[in-house]
Amino acid sequence: DFVLDTLVHYLSQIDLRSGLSKKEYIGRLLKMEILNGEFGQKAAENFKKIRKANQFSLALSLSKMYYAGSSVNQFRLVTVRIFPLCSIYRNKLDTNEIYVHIPYEGDEEDHACMEFIIDTFIPLGMVCRVFWKEHFGVLDVDNTMVLDNIAMF
């Protein structure tokens, strides 16, 4: 009886130290659901093109969005985490428009990742435009008003 009790306590301590936290468990569960197409086939296809570390980060951000309820804030946080050199702007005239500038031409994974982020974190009714490499012109900001290096839209 003593040996069994000691063994059970020892195994429970090992399980507590090596087990998943609630956050990791929810992240893995959301990751599996996305990959299985429960968030839509397009989301699953884009998610499969993303690196595993970024997949887990996106799943954790999605779970934070469920708890916090602010999808635009989570959009900003996850975009800056995955694309650290990006700039995010909100249109002053139309607050339902968000502009993202990423200063390099992304590969297929980057484009799939950005599409997944937009489809997942941008609420319905909002528009997000992504500018790869070329920055769009912003009045009174000289860095963005370089001839032949302005994205037009």
Side-chain angles (χ1 to χ4, degrees), residues 41-107:
Q41 198 58 37
K42 181 180 171 186
E45 290 170 9
N46 284 329
F47 201 72
K48 288 175 185 174
K49 296 175 185 175
I50 301 170
R51 284 187 292 268
K52 295 208 184 293
N54 286 344
Q55 284 180 351
F56 189 69
S57 178
L58 287 167
L60 287 178
S61 294
L62 190 58
S63 71
K64 287 179 189 174
M65 184 183 73
Y66 285 148
Y67 290 114
S70 174
S71 62
V72 176
N73 190 38
Q74 281 300 318
F75 167 79
R76 184 183 56 79
L77 292 172
V78 75
T79 304
V80 168
R81 186 179 316 123
I82 293 182
F83 302 103
L85 300 175
C86 76
S87 302
I88 301 173
Y89 305 92
R90 195 151 195 183
N91 189 340
K92 287 184 181 180
L93 299 176
D94 184 3
T95 57
N96 287 331
E97 284 188 333
I98 296 176
Y99 305 120
V100 178
H101 171 251
I102 300 173
Y104 55 87
E105 187 61 46
D107 57 6

